[in-house]
Amino acid sequence: MRDAYHEELDALSDKLVEMTRLVRSAMARAVTALLDADLRLSEEVISADEHVNKIDTEIEETVFDLMARQQPVAGDLRTLITALRMSGDLERMGDLAVHIAKTARRRHPESAVPPVLQATVLEMGQIAERMIAKTGSVIASQDVEMGLELDADDDRMDRLHRKLFDILLSPKWKYGVEPAVDITLAGRYFERFADHAVHVAEDVVYMVTGQRPEEIIDSSEAQTGPGQGPS
């Protein structure tokens, strides 16, 4: 019975990794659709989100079932609770990719991204892809150090988000209100996508260590001195 139980716990991790793979694909295609005004890709992203939602539901059902049947404690309970939280974050990341795809569809056959912002939006998309790929690796490997690295990626996304607004608010902006609205929303979608990736990584850290990332960092600084980090 216990072997079957732990097999089900392992299956939860596998499903979470599969969600990261699907979300990464959705984000990659959504960004291409946004930049290239590709209607076919937009529709693919929107329709494929059902698969992400299905896995999210399966994870939720499994977690509640295991909690009812096994009454887990300690580490196993942490695993189930964090699996539920991670699944919710990944599902919302899929939704954000859909929002980007819908922006592309709404502006088709024109690109929703003016030429002056194409490079910045492309870079935001690349960071989003790297973050979700790293998130999948963190879940699969339970690598705490890698999980803590996502904060730096999030900082890069935040800087690009601010750069978007600098361009939009510049007196040189000449593309009108609708593109400004599209880019404002898209920038927010990218920024929230990165935040959710960080949340997932933080949950992995908590699942493995029983500590939140800030507790680990504070403990490390107490031993090495502020700002020095571990040797």
Side-chain angles (χ1 to χ4, degrees):
M1 287 289 291
R2 300 300 295 178
D3 286 344
Y5 168 52
H6 285 100
E7 285 178 5
E8 289 183 275
L9 289 179
D10 290 341
L12 284 176
S13 179
D14 293 341
K15 286 185 176 181
L16 289 167
V17 172
E18 174 67 4
M19 286 183 79
T20 68
R21 186 189 67 78
L22 293 170
V23 170
R24 181 183 182 184
S25 174
M27 176 54 76
R29 288 181 292 168
V31 171
T32 300
L34 186 68
L35 294 172
D36 297 347
D38 191 319
L39 183 61
R40 178 185 60 82
L41 279 181
S42 298
E43 298 292 358
E44 285 180 4
V45 172
I46 294 165
S47 61
D49 191 51
E50 290 183 12
H51 193 183
V52 176
N53 295 340
K54 180 175 180 291
I55 298 176
D56 177 46
T57 300
E58 290 172 354
I59 289 174
E60 182 178 306
E61 291 173 348
T62 299
V63 168
F64 289 150
D65 178 63
L66 289 174
M67 291 180 73
R69 288 192 291 110
Q70 302 292 340
Q71 298 182 345
V73 295
D76 287 350
L77 181 59
R78 251 194 345 260
T79 296
L80 291 175
I81 291 172
T82 53
L84 198 60
R85 288 166 55 93
M86 287 188 278
S87 178
D89 276 310
L90 291 168
E91 188 274 333
R92 286 188 284 277
M93 292 171 81
D95 288 344
L96 290 164
V98 167
H99 291 332
I100 291 171
K102 286 182 176 179
T103 299
R105 184 177 67 178
R106 185 167 60 249
R107 297 304 173 204
H108 184 269
E110 302 297 325
S111 171
V113 184
V116 68
L117 287 172
Q118 290 257 333
T120 303
V121 170
L122 176 60
E123 188 175 355
M124 293 179 84
Q126 291 170 339
I127 292 174
E129 282 189 65
R130 285 201 301 272
M131 289 186 74
I132 187 59
K134 191 177 290 186
T135 300
S137 296
V138 170
I139 294 171
S141 66
Q142 298 188 1
D143 187 327
V144 170
E145 288 190 11
M146 188 187 299
L148 295 173
E149 289 173 6
L150 266 81
D151 262 338
D153 297 316
D154 187 43
D155 289 342
R156 284 191 284 274
M157 184 70 87
D158 289 340
R159 285 195 294 271
L160 288 171
H161 190 210
R162 290 192 293 271
K163 181 179 178 181
L164 282 184
F165 278 99
D166 288 343
I167 296 172
L168 289 172
L169 296 174
S170 167
K172 296 180 180 179
W173 180 257
K174 60 180 182 180
Y175 299 98
V177 174
E178 286 189 352
V181 171
D182 287 340
I183 294 300
T184 299
L185 291 173
R188 179 61 173 163
Y189 300 148
F190 284 122
E191 190 263 341
R192 289 300 299 150
F193 188 95
D195 286 346
H196 284 300
V198 171
H199 293 165
V200 174
E202 289 176 342
D203 278 332
V204 174
V205 172
Y206 175 67
M207 179 180 68
V208 173
T209 67
Q211 292 182 294
R212 289 294 175 187
E214 58 269 21
E215 295 172 330
I216 295 173
I217 293 168
D218 289 345
S219 175
S220 175
E221 288 185 348
Q223 295 175 21
T224 64
Q228 295 179 34
S231 60

